[in-house]
């Protein structure tokens, strides 16, 4: 019980500080209140606001120790972002003088839209192979596919590269969100090619 009270006390203290910030911001015009409230909270980040006798905790330390409320308790934003796999493939490919690449992309778009398949790269490779049965993927994707690779090996290499680039986008999102101090954000890649789930409590 004492441990629970100790842990909850940080949440009560941060709420108290945030209430004061809201009261401070209420003095300003409506359009400036959000900025004024954030300015107040920034100004007390490293100020001791909670004295327990053995230690005085700053607002920042209290914020780190408070209870994390998820979307179900706090509300917030829940969106699914779609990284454009066709654009990733275009950025990887050498398409100059290639009459098949864009045709394969367009037919893949149509098939993926109609069938709701999760594997864009797989469908693209099949479509490209149908358009050019003698296709050498190492010519189109020089940096990703090795010369002499089989069709399956080339497809696996492209899938790996697309996944790596989506992961890179996920890491960029995570680093930008962390700059704002959002509590317990949920950022994860979904099974569907290029999709990223983003949940931001509050």
């Amino acid at each position: 019980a004492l441990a629970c009270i100790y842990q909850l006390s940080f949440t009560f203290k941060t709420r108290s500080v945030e209430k004061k910030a809201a009261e401070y911001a209420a003095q300003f015009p409506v359009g400036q209140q959000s900025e004024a409230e954030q300015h107040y909270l920034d100004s007390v980040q490293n100020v001791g606001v909670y004295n327990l006798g053995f230690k005085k905790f700053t607002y920042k330390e209290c914020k780190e120790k408070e209870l994390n409320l998820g979307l179900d308790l706090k509300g917030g934003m829940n969106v699914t972002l779609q990284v454009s796999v066709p654009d990733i493939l275009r950025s990887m490919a050498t398409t100059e003088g290639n009459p098949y690449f864009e045709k394969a992309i367009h037919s893949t778009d149509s098939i993926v839209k109609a069938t709701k398949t999760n594997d864009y790269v797989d469908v693209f490779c099949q479509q490209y192979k149908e358009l050019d049965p003698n296709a050498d993927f190492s010519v189109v994707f020089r940096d990703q596919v090795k010369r002499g690779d089989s069709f399956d090996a080339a497809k696996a290499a492209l899938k790996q590269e697309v996944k790596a680039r989506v992961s890179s986008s996920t890491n960029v999102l995570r680093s930008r969100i962390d700059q704002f101090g959002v509590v317990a954000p949920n950022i994860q890649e979904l099974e569907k090619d290029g999709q990223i789930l983003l949940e931001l409590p509050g």
Side-chain angles (χ1 to χ4, degrees):
L2 289 174
C4 289
I5 292 170
Y6 171 77
Q7 197 62 49
L8 282 169
S9 67
F10 293 100
T11 301
F12 293 137
K13 179 51 66 174
T14 56
R15 296 293 182 275
S16 173
V17 174
E18 287 161 6
K19 184 179 178 182
K20 290 179 182 177
E23 291 170 354
Y24 167 78
Q27 306 171 36
F28 292 81
V30 175
Q32 299 175 14
Q33 287 181 1
S34 179
E35 186 178 343
E37 185 174 344
Q38 189 58 53
H39 176 73
Y40 181 96
L41 293 174
D42 289 343
S43 69
V44 298
Q45 283 284 322
N46 299 309
V47 175
V49 295
Y50 188 28
N51 192 349
L52 280 179
F54 63 91
K55 183 179 178 182
K56 195 168 188 178
F57 293 91
T58 65
Y59 170 71
K60 184 178 181 181
E61 289 172 329
C62 290
K63 196 71 179 168
E64 290 170 353
K65 291 177 178 291
E66 73 171 352
L67 277 178
N68 294 335
L69 302 180
L71 283 176
D72 52 343
L73 294 175
K74 196 175 184 181
M77 183 173 72
N78 181 333
V79 294
T80 302
L81 305 175
Q82 176 69 59
V83 179
S84 175
V85 178
D87 286 342
I88 292 177
L89 291 174
R90 286 188 180 100
S91 71
M92 290 158 49
T94 304
T95 59
E96 187 175 346
N98 187 326
Y100 305 114
F101 184 84
E102 283 299 329
K103 289 181 182 178
I105 289 286
H106 290 308
S107 60
T108 302
D109 286 341
S110 300
I111 292 170
V112 168
K113 188 175 181 180
T115 62
K116 308 295 184 187
T117 180
N118 288 344
D119 201 332
Y120 191 98
V121 176
D122 187 71
V123 176
F124 167 79
C125 291
Q126 294 290 348
Q127 291 302 302
Y128 193 89
K129 190 73 173 175
E130 287 180 17
L131 288 167
D132 184 8
N134 299 316
D136 184 351
F137 283 90
S138 66
V139 174
V140 184
F141 299 98
R142 294 174 184 170
D143 296 331
Q144 292 77 31
V145 180
K146 297 176 183 176
R147 185 172 294 278
D149 275 357
S150 65
F151 175 73
D152 288 338
K155 187 165 61 175
L158 293 179
K159 285 184 179 182
Q160 185 176 350
E161 182 64 22
V162 168
K163 184 173 177 58
R165 296 196 182 200
V166 173
S167 295
S168 177
S169 299
T170 304
N171 291 333
V172 169
L173 281 170
R174 183 172 286 108
S175 65
R176 291 182 179 179
I177 288 167
D178 286 347
Q179 290 175 3
F180 292 99
V182 177
V183 176
N186 178 29
I187 309 168
Q188 63 184 62
E189 295 170 41
L190 301 179
E191 288 184 13
K192 188 173 176 64
D193 272 349
Q195 286 197 349
I196 302 170
L197 175 65
L198 184 62
E199 295 179 339
L200 302 179

